[in-house]
Amino acid sequence: MKNSIAERISEFLKRYPPFNLINSTSLLRIAEQVNIIYLEKGETIFKNGDINHNCFYVVRDGAISLYYKNGDVNEITNIHDTGDLFGLRALIAKTPYHLNATANEESIIYAIPISIFQSVTDKSVNIQKYLITAFASNDYTPYTSEQAGKIFVDYIPSNSQDVVSFQTANYTKAPITCGTTSTLKSAAKKMCAHKIGCIIVIDALKKPVGIITNSDIKNKIATGLFPIETKVTRIMSSPVITAKKDLTVADGQLQMIKNSIGHLCITKDGTINSKLIGVLTHHDVLTTLGNNPTVILKDIKRAKRTKKLRAARHKANGLLKSYLDQNIPLSHIIKLISQINDAVTTRAIELAILKMPTPPPVSFSWLALGSQGRREQLHFTDQDNALIFENVSKKDYPETKAYFLELAKLVNKTLNKVGFEYCEADMMASNPEWCKSLSEWQVQFKTWILNPDEKAILLSSVFFDYNAVYGNTKLTDKITDTIFNTLNEASLFYNFLGRDAVKSPSPLGFFKQFLIEQNGEQKELFNIKSRAIMPLVDAARLLILNKQIKGVNNTYERFEKLAQLEPENAELYESCSYAFKALSKFKTKQGLLNNNSGKFINLETLTKEEKLKLRRCFKPIQEIQKVLIHRFDLKNFI
């Protein structure tokens, strides 16, 4: 006799990894032993410290929050919805739970017995690889990085390079050092004797104060700039960049990319104020990872032609797809791709300067705007950029501006060849409107803020999200100071910005149907960017500007910062952060699948579960827009 309930469970499970890797007969065996659990909102499945259950879980309907206690605050690490796995510690590590799992709303979950699941899947490397990755993604927070690192050492399949990124870094635990009174000659002898490429300079308390590398000897001693008996403190690079002993390979890699260094000093508490206990080198990372983002970045920095630059950037798309397929945390993916995009822009500028007849006449700063400015550009999009150059005399101004306009044209052309389309609205540094001196930009931003109108607000939505990619960052800092000083004089600006942030209605209609485009080439397609992602982007920008917070440009990080600043609204802000990441991931996957930007989606191609996941991301949009309407008194302004 057929078991219709088991068959329905099997039909559901086979839509999601890793169950889609299991044959129908085996999957039905699992489904026959699944326990169906109904949960009211707020009900708990397991708590931190509970002995692991004899099962792991799959969300059938609803959503499950995973969190840990930080004092009186619940720090959410993830929210799982339809098709997501959680509670994998019972399967992977077989240790007590380290997180709490609670129903975020009315939910139905399937409990998968570990014994039957293991008997069916024990010999499948692909299934084991997926489960390890899912476990890492669920637990990947500073709170659990040490635990995750230990687990990876024993369980990660040897052919899974990307997952290895999240194991604890294998650094040198007995670094060669010298004291602050040592001479370069004695330090070099030590380096030679131990056949190493660097030596750490430590003080009397064994705290790292500097580092000397082979390159320092070549550039500073071999060239005759300093005598061989020079004290090491005169030529060492200082201060050093430090990290904790439990950092992951991925974190170490990011630190090296961000600071353009090849060595990280590992100290007892992760700061320069504690004892040196080890060194992580670029070679250590490469040995662990093999081909990885660092290799792509090296290719970018070495590229002498646009063709090579394009090839290196396109490798990043393969990396992006791989990371998405393996469910690596989106926050990590965003950081890596942002570093790669910035490196491409930097190299495009360097190559353009080489083509110019003379070096730049004054210092300048190249700004990435829009999604790249927010460091959340995953897929190729159009260019949004601007250029600030140092103030010059009236007499020198025409020639200076002409130089930078020509430079910007070369950069925009290179970026276009790499794959970044020209901006249809011409918001690029090659446009005279967006290539200005510092004082002109200061006047421009003041005008936008003090005299807000439709055009000013439209431009603000692009130009208030910027990131200095290349050049003199002091120029950018002065622009930032001007913006925040002027905002203190212009409360009306927030109303205009607020009106713009809530003008996009809910992505769902009155009867909960998706609001699709009604005409044009995109008729009957759903615009995930304008209807779902941008309302969150606009809300985060407005709220963070209103809080006068500088240097936090990324949308999900803005919401996380707001959650810290307003604990009473933390749940909403964290939901907005989660929704933004989920929507960005969905858009990127659609773009890779259809070889386009992913902006417009044919809803007919989505499964019921995919549509359900999208709908769940829309609730925070409605709620955050209500907050904006109330906080900025927009009822009479819309």
Side-chain angles (χ1 to χ4, degrees), residues 500-515:
D500 198 60
V502 300
K503 72 180 180 183
S504 181
S506 166
L508 296 178
F510 184 76
F511 296 105
K512 302 299 180 184
Q513 80 280 14
F514 284 82
L515 291 180

Side-chain angles (χ1 to χ4, degrees), residues 343-576:
V344 168
T345 304
T346 296
R347 192 57 185 152
I349 295 167
E350 291 170 347
L351 293 174
I353 290 173
L354 292 174
K355 292 177 183 178
M356 295 294 286
T358 63
V362 293
S363 70
F364 72 99
S365 180
W366 183 277
L367 303 185
L369 308 173
S371 59
Q372 189 182 355
R374 293 190 299 273
R375 291 184 171 273
E376 55 197 32
Q377 184 185 55
L378 289 173
H379 211 350
F380 280 125
T381 59
D382 61 350
Q383 299 182 46
D384 290 313
N385 41 61
L387 190 147
I388 310 170
F389 57 86
E390 200 176 340
N391 291 331
V392 293
S393 65
K394 255 188 180 181
K395 176 175 68 72
D396 294 332
Y397 179 85
E399 187 178 344
T400 304
K401 180 154 184 172
Y403 178 94
F404 286 113
L405 281 173
E406 185 59 33
L407 176 68
K409 284 178 185 175
L410 291 172
V411 176
N412 290 149
K413 184 178 179 181
T414 297
L415 292 175
N416 177 253
K417 288 181 178 179
V418 167
F420 297 96
E421 296 292 333
Y422 288 122
C423 175
E424 290 184 5
D426 202 20
M427 290 184 184
M428 297 183 293
S430 53
N431 180 343
E433 286 290 311
W434 315 132
C435 177
K436 296 181 177 182
S437 66
L438 172 62
S439 58
E440 286 178 307
W441 274 116
Q442 288 172 319
V443 170
Q444 179 68 83
F445 277 102
K446 283 183 179 179
T447 302
W448 283 337
I449 296 170
L450 298 176
N451 302 291
D453 56 22
E454 295 294 336
K455 183 181 178 183
I457 296 303
L458 173 64
L459 295 173
S460 297
S461 68
V462 177
F463 282 84
F464 276 60
D465 295 332
Y466 56 78
N467 170 40
V469 175
Y470 181 92
N472 185 354
T473 56
K474 290 182 179 178
L475 297 174
T476 317
D477 293 341
K478 289 179 181 178
I479 293 291
T480 302
D481 291 340
T482 297
I483 289 172
F484 282 96
N485 290 336
T486 311
L487 283 171
N488 290 326
E489 307 169 25
S491 59
L492 190 63
F493 179 74
Y494 292 120
N495 298 113
F496 275 93
L497 214 55
R499 184 182 70 178
D500 198 60
V502 300
K503 72 180 180 183
S504 181
S506 166
L508 296 178
F510 184 76
F511 296 105
K512 302 299 180 184
Q513 80 280 14
F514 284 82
L515 291 180
I516 57 178
E517 301 304 297
Q518 297 299 317
N519 46 52
E521 291 181 17
Q522 283 77 41
K523 187 177 180 181
E524 298 189 357
L525 299 180
F526 177 67
N527 189 331
I528 190 173
K529 180 181 177 182
S530 66
R531 291 198 180 275
I533 294 175
M534 289 313 296
L536 291 170
V537 171
D538 293 339
R541 180 193 306 113
L542 170 58
L543 290 166
I544 213 76
L545 282 172
N546 185 241
K547 292 287 186 183
Q548 298 272 303
I549 301 298
K550 301 178 183 179
V552 183
N553 280 8
N554 183 279
T555 299
Y556 78 82
E557 288 180 344
R558 282 172 167 173
F559 280 122
E560 288 172 359
K561 183 66 177 178
L562 289 164
Q564 294 174 14
L565 297 172
E566 297 179 29
E568 68 277 13
N569 292 318
E571 186 176 349
L572 172 58
Y573 292 140
E574 285 165 355
S575 294
C576 287

Side-chain angles (χ1 to χ4, degrees), residues 184 216-228 230 234-235:
L184 187 65
D216 290 320
I217 295 173
K218 178 181 71 176
N219 296 329
K220 297 174 183 178
I221 302 301
T223 55
L225 287 176
F226 293 91
I228 194 70
T230 299
R234 288 195 65 195
I235 71 158

Side-chain angles (χ1 to χ4, degrees), residues 280-329:
L280 179 69
T281 69
H282 184 228
H283 177 73
D284 295 330
V285 172
L286 289 182
T287 300
T288 305
L289 295 177
N291 191 21
N292 63 91
T294 307
V295 174
I296 295 174
L297 284 162
K298 273 194 170 184
D299 288 345
I300 290 169
K301 290 176 181 178
R302 291 171 178 169
K304 294 183 179 179
R305 297 172 58 197
T306 302
K307 185 178 178 181
K308 294 285 187 184
L309 196 57
R310 176 183 171 84
R313 178 56 184 83
H314 277 264
K315 282 183 186 177
N317 278 354
L319 188 72
L320 174 61
K321 185 177 186 305
S322 170
Y323 278 16
L324 288 171
D325 287 344
Q326 295 188 65
N327 205 26
I328 299 298

